[in-house]
DNA sequence: GTCTATAGCCAGATAGAC
DNA sequence: GTCTATCTGGCTATAGAC
């Protein structure tokens, strides 16, 4: 592993845990097992290092969303596919959703520019498809954007609000992971039940 | 309005927007229209000022949850009541969910101690009630904790991930608020549809 | 109580040896 | 490319006048 990779991985861990403002360059250096000066040698400054980490995180999320959203499957199958593969992905990167949401909140201008490029998660095709299936009486009438929010909420929320969920339900990390495994298949059926004719 | 109140309100605005680490005492003083030294005179230090703000935010959320969770209504009615009144509340405090979730993430130990006192949001009664209604064949079999996560996710997520939602759906603040108004009544029916026999 | 001025510290950034 | 040592600025916090 190159030094640059060591730094990048360390930065990802620290930034995801503490956010941009809370993270310390010294902490990242310690985590990477190298000297603080190397961070500046490799990434110029904190801002640029953060951007590298954030863009990487963000760009991991988008493509697989679009792949599913724009496939030829039915709405129901897309819901199954999305929830299942997305939860699988987020179980491996549990801090990602909270990190992205937090930094979007603290730094809207920066992120919004991001959401205008061609790689952004783009639900246009899926929205049209939902409207069509409603017209074809496959799905009960619903505002497609609301349905989209529902799908993402059911999938992403428990990870974004991990501490809150664990605290409220008083469950351990192990129990939490088990519940998320269960959600991989269960929530698709919940959502489909709620809209099917 | 007393000086202390002016500071507290200013602190709430800045902390909710920037988080603990990102907030600057100077910024809070400016927002309050008073001198930085007064912050320390009234609240001793940043940590204590933050705790005052956070506890206030948190304690606004919990009691009304418990009131609904522990009432004598049916599960369906509790779902209707909760989603409606909770969204109404959060529309007036749109930064609260993201703030609480963010600081829970960045400061787990501190918050977890909080979640053990008697005022914490406590779903025990509701979980038992869900189990009973499943046994009575009113509700389809479901893990009650999963249902609880679903309800909170559908309600809270769009506010916690406000920027992400607006960015993905490319909607304005006005459209967003209109959609949240719609959700007040629509999501309860979605959830009920997904579990009713 | 409210201000100005400043102490003291900490973190990001750089200089320069190797 | 990697380190040690150091600079510099900014931020929390306090001292002290009024």
């Amino acid at each position: 592993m190159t030094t640059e990779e060591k730094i990048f991985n360390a930065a990802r861990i620290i930034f995801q845990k503490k956010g941009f403002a809370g993270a310390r360059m010294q902490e990242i250096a310690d985590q990477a097992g190298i000297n603080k000066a190397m961070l500046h040698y490799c990434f110029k400054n904190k801002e640029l290092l953060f951007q590298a980490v954030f863009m990487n995180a963000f760009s991991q999320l988008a493509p697989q969303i679009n792949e599913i959203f724009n496939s030829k499957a039915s709405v129901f199958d897309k819901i199954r596919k999305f929830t299942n593969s997305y939860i699988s992905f987020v179980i491996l990167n549990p801090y990602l959703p909270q990190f992205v949401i937090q930094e979007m909140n603290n730094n809207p201008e920066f992120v919004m520019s991001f959401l205008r490029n061609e790689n952004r998660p783009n639900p246009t095709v899926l929205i049209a498809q939902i409207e069509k299936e409603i017209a074809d009486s496959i799905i009960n009438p619903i505002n497609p954007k609301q349905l989209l929010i529902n799908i993402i909420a059911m999938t992403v929320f428990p990870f974004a609000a991990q501490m809150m969920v664990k605290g409220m339900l008083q469950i351990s990390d192990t129990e939490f992971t088990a519940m998320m495994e269960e959600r991989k298949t269960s929530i698709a059926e919940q959502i489909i039940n709620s809209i099917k004719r």
Side-chain angles (χ1 to χ4, degrees), chain A:
Chain A
M1 189 155 51
T2 68
T3 302
E4 198 163 327
E5 285 168 341
K6 275 193 283 188
I7 293 173
F8 185 86
N9 287 328
R12 198 175 51 203
I13 292 168
I14 303 298
F15 277 135
Q16 287 187 11
K17 193 147 59 187
K18 306 274 181 92
F20 176 77
R24 296 289 158 252
M25 294 296 266
Q26 184 61 60
E27 217 179 344
I28 295 172
D30 293 347
Q31 174 78 30
I34 49 97
N35 192 275
K36 199 173 54 155
M38 279 305 289
L39 304 187
H40 293 91
Y41 177 78
C42 290
F43 288 90
K44 189 81 181 168
N45 61 36
K46 188 183 180 185
E47 181 82 25
L48 287 173
L49 177 55
F50 176 80
Q51 285 188 17
V53 169
F54 186 86
M55 293 220 187
N56 177 269
F58 200 86
S59 62
Q60 282 190 284
L61 294 179
Q64 64 176 9
I65 293 186
N66 284 333
E67 201 186 320
I68 296 167
F69 279 7
N70 299 331
S71 78
K72 294 212 175 290
S74 69
V75 171
F76 289 173
D77 277 348
K78 283 185 182 179
I79 292 173
R80 290 193 188 96
K81 187 86 189 301
F82 174 78
T83 51
N84 190 315
S85 72
Y86 210 70
I87 292 181
S88 300
F89 172 72
V90 183
I91 283 176
L92 300 175
N93 304 271
Y95 289 108
L96 219 61
Q98 167 61 18
F99 173 63
V100 172
I101 289 169
Q102 170 170 325
E103 297 305 330
M104 283 185 86
N105 184 47
N106 296 343
N107 228 328
E109 336 70 58
F110 167 61
V111 185
M112 281 310 199
S113 66
F114 227 69
L115 282 169
R116 272 184 270 279
N117 76 14
E118 75 281 2
N119 254 349
R120 77 180 180 92
N122 190 339
T124 318
V125 172
L126 181 53
I127 287 176
Q129 186 183 6
I130 292 168
E131 275 160 355
K132 183 172 180 310
E133 293 201 8
I134 291 172
D136 293 350
S137 295
I138 299 169
I139 301 176
N140 271 325
I142 184 175
N143 179 337
K145 289 179 181 174
Q146 297 282 11
L147 176 56
L148 218 66
I149 292 178
N150 295 350
I151 294 169
I152 297 173
M154 297 268 278
T155 310
V156 176
F157 177 81
F159 294 93
Q162 217 170 126
M163 288 297 158
M164 196 190 223
V165 168
K166 284 178 194 160
M168 250 193 74
L169 300 180
Q170 302 275 302
I171 55 178
S172 68
D173 282 12
T174 324
E175 286 175 274
F176 179 81
T177 311
M179 287 191 67
M180 293 308 111
E181 281 292 332
E182 190 189 340
R183 281 182 89 76
K184 273 192 202 173
T185 53
S186 68
I187 60 174
E189 299 316 313
Q190 300 293 325
I191 297 169
I192 290 169
N193 263 340
S194 76
I195 54 169
K196 76 163 175 235
R197 259 224 188 282

